[in-house]
Amino acid sequence: MSTTQSERLRELLEPLVTAQGLDLEEIALDSVGRKRVLRVVVDSDSGADLDAVADVSRALSAKLDETDAMGEGEYTLEVGTPGAERPLKEHRHYARAVDRLVKFQLTEGGELVARILEVDDDGLDVEVPGVKGRKATSRRLAFSEIDKARVQVEFNRKDKKEEEA
């Protein structure tokens, strides 16, 4: 049985998000002055475009209006995607970040910046970029070796399609 309002909201809203072909990544309920803000983060393997976010936002808003899940008082609903520098927490997050550059905080200390090449049930195959003219090196990371991971923004990143052309 749910104990927190966020858990109750997740139980109410997740089926609607899933029905739209998206994953419910995060729910956060914050107070901003006298108003409350409900932030819902959605994503999918192929990403969530503006139309998908708008569709799910309408569905969530209608469901919240027909229930008393938010209680009395005003609130603002904000629906969005994880953003460019998203943290990677679940297996699906790593799978979605294949070919992306990621900064890893390792459980035994230290950092590693590498590109995810492949993801399986046990961990990741990554490519560590070469430094000062050296070649890139491959490395295997088990999920147990990763404390935190966050996608890095690359301004000069080449798309796979560009490389194949």
Side-chain angles (χ1 to χ4, degrees), residues 101-122:
L101 197 63
V102 174
K103 184 177 190 177
F104 297 95
Q105 299 288 327
L106 304 176
T107 54
E108 294 184 9
E111 294 181 346
L112 175 68
V113 176
R115 187 170 309 281
I116 298 177
L117 301 175
E118 195 171 310
V119 179
D120 59 34
D121 291 341
D122 301 317

Side-chain angles (χ1 to χ4, degrees), residues 4-161:
T4 68
Q5 186 173 16
S6 291
E7 289 172 338
R8 288 190 299 275
L9 286 167
R10 179 174 282 279
E11 287 176 7
L12 177 70
L13 302 178
E14 193 160 29
L16 296 171
V17 173
T18 302
Q20 299 278 339
L22 301 170
D23 295 316
L24 179 57
E25 296 294 348
E26 184 180 328
I27 286 184
L29 183 58
D30 299 313
S31 293
V32 180
R34 295 159 88 195
K35 286 192 175 186
R36 294 173 298 152
V37 178
L38 176 60
R39 290 184 179 88
V40 178
V41 178
V42 299
D43 202 6
S44 76
D45 289 344
S46 59
D49 64 17
L50 207 50
D51 291 334
V53 172
D55 290 344
V56 78
S57 180
R58 283 189 287 275
L60 298 180
S61 181
K63 186 67 162 183
L64 291 167
D65 288 348
E66 75 182 38
T67 66
D68 66 347
M70 290 299 293
E72 296 295 319
E74 293 182 32
Y75 69 91
T76 301
L77 173 64
E78 294 179 359
V79 180
T81 59
E85 291 186 345
R86 68 190 64 163
L88 307 178
K89 297 178 181 177
E90 297 185 35
H91 186 275
R92 71 175 181 262
H93 299 160
Y94 289 97
R96 290 174 184 161
V98 168
D99 293 325
R100 300 293 306 269
L101 197 63
V102 174
K103 184 177 190 177
F104 297 95
Q105 299 288 327
L106 304 176
T107 54
E108 294 184 9
E111 294 181 346
L112 175 68
V113 176
R115 187 170 309 281
I116 298 177
L117 301 175
E118 195 171 310
V119 179
D120 59 34
D121 291 341
D122 301 317
L124 324 168
D125 291 325
V126 298
E127 180 182 74
V128 181
V131 180
K132 296 182 182 178
R134 294 186 180 150
K135 287 187 175 185
T137 57
S138 295
R139 179 172 173 181
R140 177 77 180 165
L141 280 178
F143 287 118
S144 62
E145 295 177 78
I146 302 168
D147 185 37
K148 294 179 185 176
R150 184 174 293 274
V151 172
Q152 300 296 288
V153 173
E154 294 179 83
F155 293 106
N156 297 327
R157 182 173 170 237
K158 292 191 178 179
D159 238 353
K160 264 188 159 180
K161 292 175 188 171

